[in-house]
Amino acid sequence: MLSSSLMRAKPETRLFVEAGLDVGRMLDLSADHAHYLKTVLRLAPGAQVALFNGRDGEWLARIEGFSRGSCAVRVETQSRLQTKDPDLWLVFAPIKRARIDFLVEKATELGVGALYPVMTRHTMVERVNLARLGANAVEAAEQSGRLSVPHIHAPQPLDRRRGVCDNRER
């Protein structure tokens, strides 16, 4: 027979936060999280959400209330322990916007720990929006149940990545 704590319904809403997570801690979530919880999902005080930060595992938290531009939550119990991610990297040449967003989403879902955009001789993209890629990685981690978000490195020329991937013509 399952214990009552395991029989509780798991919240569908998972949010990545930067703050440390432990029992009883009060957190003020960002304006974006507050808007998402209150306006998009229409959650009310008392609703449960799952929080993770990539360090402390996943925790259940209860919405205490909303104020202008923020949401207060109280961390209650840990639902999953933090696990170590595999040392898996993806080194890639940047591609068009919609496709690079898809690449980051799928790499996050597959458990990649670090993303390394590299500029090659034939790369057509001149600029990589790291903030947008980071937001895509966070969203993919929230939706896929992953406990961490991959680190996205600044673009570098391919010849600086030698040792990770040696692409010299022979």
Side-chain angles (χ1 to χ4, degrees):
M1 182 165 183
L2 293 173
S3 71
S4 62
S5 64
L6 293 176
M7 290 179 13
R8 273 190 278 169
K10 186 174 180 181
E12 294 180 19
T13 305
R14 295 181 75 241
L15 299 175
F16 175 78
V17 296
E18 294 289 338
L21 300 170
D22 53 29
V23 174
R25 183 160 188 185
M26 286 292 294
L27 298 176
D28 283 326
L29 301 180
S30 69
D32 289 339
H33 282 148
H35 171 76
Y36 178 67
L37 295 173
K38 183 177 183 183
T39 308
V40 177
L41 296 179
R42 298 177 186 228
L43 296 179
Q48 263 193 338
V49 296
L51 304 176
F52 68 103
N53 62 10
R55 300 179 308 274
D56 302 323
E58 182 179 82
W59 291 76
L60 298 179
R62 190 160 310 278
I63 297 174
E64 294 289 318
F66 294 96
S67 62
R68 189 170 184 88
S70 72
C71 173
V73 297
R74 180 178 307 281
V75 179
E76 293 181 334
T77 59
Q78 188 173 35
S79 57
R80 289 171 51 199
L81 295 174
Q82 186 68 38
T83 56
K84 184 168 174 20
D85 287 335
D87 189 19
L88 189 61
W89 301 357
L90 177 62
V91 179
F92 65 96
I95 49 182
K96 293 180 182 178
R97 179 180 177 162
R99 294 183 187 266
I100 198 170
D101 291 346
F102 185 73
L103 180 142
V104 169
E105 176 186 332
K106 296 306 169 193
T108 301
E109 291 171 358
L110 289 170
V112 169
L115 295 157
Y116 287 92
V118 294
M119 301 307 217
T120 68
R121 181 173 38 217
H122 300 289
T123 301
M124 303 288 277
V125 174
E126 294 178 10
R127 193 171 82 73
V128 176
N129 186 338
L130 295 176
R132 189 184 78 247
L133 295 184
N136 289 334
V138 166
E139 186 174 323
E142 288 173 347
Q143 292 180 8
S144 68
R146 182 175 171 168
L147 291 177
S148 64
V149 176
H151 185 268
I152 301 174
H153 295 268
Q156 297 180 23
L158 179 61
D159 60 356
R160 283 179 130 184
R161 296 296 331 148
R162 290 192 200 276
V164 171
C165 63
D166 194 359
N167 196 24
R168 288 180 275 189
E169 292 181 26
R170 296 174 196 225

